[in-house]
Amino acid sequence: MPTHPGSTGRQDGPTQPNYEQTPPGYAQMPPGYAPASPGYAPMPGPERNGLGLAALILGIVGLLFCLVPLTGFIGLILGVTGLALGLAGLSRVRKGQASNKKTAVSGVVLSVLAVVGGIIGIVIVFTAVDQLGDDLNDISNDLDSYTECIDRADTPAEMSACN
C-alpha cells in the first residue's frame, strides 16, 4: 500500500530525499539551495554598544543645557553620567562585549565637554549672583547715605546738594 502519492509502495527506502547529512537540531537545506562555500563570510550584524550610545546622547543633551548658564548644573550632571557610561562602553569594547568603539569615544568626548561647560556655567551663575549681591549692597549704602543727607538738610538748596 503506497504511503505517498507517486511512491512505489516499497518501505525499504527513505520516503523523503536526504539533501545532505546534517546533525540533529539543525535545519536541512531545501532543494535548489547549495551549501555555503568555504570562503563565504556572513555579513556582520549591526554594531552594538548601548552604553556608548547612551553616553553620546547624554553628552549631546548635556552640551545643550550648558548653552544656558542657568542650566549648567544639569549639563554637569548629564556630562558626569555620560562620562561614566562612555568609559563603561569603552571597557566593554576592550572585552569584546560591544562592537562600536567610535560611539563610546564620541560619547566620552562630548560628555567631557558637557562637564567642562557645566562647570563654566556654574561659575558664571555664581559670579553673577555674587556681583548682584555686591551691587545691591552698594545701592543700599548709597540710599542710606542719601536718606541721611536729606534728613540733615534744612533748606531746599542743601537737599538738592545731596547726591
Side-chain angles (χ1 to χ4, degrees):
M1 180 170 293
T3 57
H4 296 291
S7 70
T8 60
R10 293 178 36 195
Q11 299 294 329
D12 58 344
T15 58
Q16 293 182 352
N18 188 3
Y19 303 120
E20 54 180 90
Q21 295 294 329
T22 56
Y26 290 94
Q28 291 184 348
M29 296 291 292
Y33 288 96
S37 63
Y40 172 75
M43 292 291 292
E47 294 186 352
R48 56 179 171 55
N49 192 347
L51 293 176
L53 181 62
L56 181 66
I57 292 169
L58 289 174
I60 291 170
V61 173
L63 278 175
L64 291 176
F65 274 106
C66 290
L67 292 176
V68 179
L70 287 175
T71 58
F73 68 95
I74 296 174
L76 177 67
I77 292 169
L78 293 176
V80 169
T81 306
L83 182 61
L85 291 175
L87 292 175
L90 284 175
S91 173
R92 291 190 66 190
V93 167
R94 285 188 197 109
K95 292 178 184 176
Q97 297 171 344
S99 61
N100 197 350
K101 184 177 181 179
K102 293 176 189 175
T103 303
V105 170
S106 299
V108 167
V109 169
L110 290 175
S111 295
V112 167
L113 291 174
V115 168
V116 170
I119 291 171
I120 291 171
I122 290 171
V123 168
I124 289 172
V125 167
F126 280 118
T127 302
V129 168
D130 186 44
Q131 184 64 42
L132 176 65
D134 292 343
D135 291 345
L136 289 176
N137 282 336
D138 291 342
I139 291 171
S140 175
N141 291 338
D142 290 344
L143 184 61
D144 288 342
S145 65
Y146 179 75
T147 305
E148 288 176 14
C149 181
I150 292 293
D151 287 342
R152 287 182 298 192
D154 293 331
T155 64
E158 290 176 349
M159 286 184 187
S160 65
C162 293
N163 288 333

